[in-house]
Amino acid sequence: MVDSVRLDKWLWAARFFKTRALAKKAIDGGKVDVDGSKAKTSKLISPGMKVRLPQGWDTWEVEVLAVTEKRRGAPEAQALYQETDESRQRREREAESRRQARETFQHPLKRPDRRDRREIKRFQREQHD
């Protein structure tokens, strides 16, 4: 095991991103924080650091438990980090609210016809003005 590893390699090895290029894109886009501040791709990660990153609709806050440069299976990758309790509770709350919003949403019974499309466009123009 190594003492520290680059942030993009760790995110890839911990299976948060499918490729290092995707990890780099998220880091360069300012979406990944390390110990409360924006990080660069080459930031060295060591055990004990806290990483905050987006995953789909959710935002994960994890504590680094171990570092490695090699990508392994999912069970080994999950041993590299531990999600904070606050993060887990927040993700579950947000997932529940999305589930409830999806249940209350009523899909239209048919596609909009010509008249409906005109009304939609008229409404959108009014919103921009």
Side-chain angles (χ1 to χ4, degrees), residues 25-104:
K25 186 176 179 181
I27 297 166
D28 291 343
K31 295 180 177 13
V32 180
D33 296 343
V34 176
D35 288 335
S37 61
K38 300 293 181 203
K40 292 186 177 181
T41 307
S42 60
K43 171 85 174 165
L44 292 178
I45 298 296
S46 57
M49 294 180 134
K50 295 200 184 283
V51 178
R52 186 171 189 256
L53 67 141
Q55 280 287 284
W57 293 99
D58 300 320
T59 301
W60 288 66
E61 291 180 17
V62 297
E63 182 179 350
V64 179
L65 299 178
V67 292
T68 183
E69 291 184 339
K70 295 183 180 181
R71 186 173 169 110
R72 304 280 171 108
E76 291 180 43
Q78 290 173 352
L80 297 178
Y81 62 89
Q82 178 179 2
E83 185 177 12
T84 62
D85 292 333
E86 299 86 29
S87 172
R88 185 177 300 109
Q89 291 168 358
R90 186 182 62 249
R91 284 189 320 105
E92 289 171 358
R93 242 187 352 263
E94 291 172 354
E96 181 61 31
S97 66
R98 285 193 303 267
R99 200 172 303 114
Q100 289 174 353
R102 190 172 48 244
E103 290 172 0
T104 60

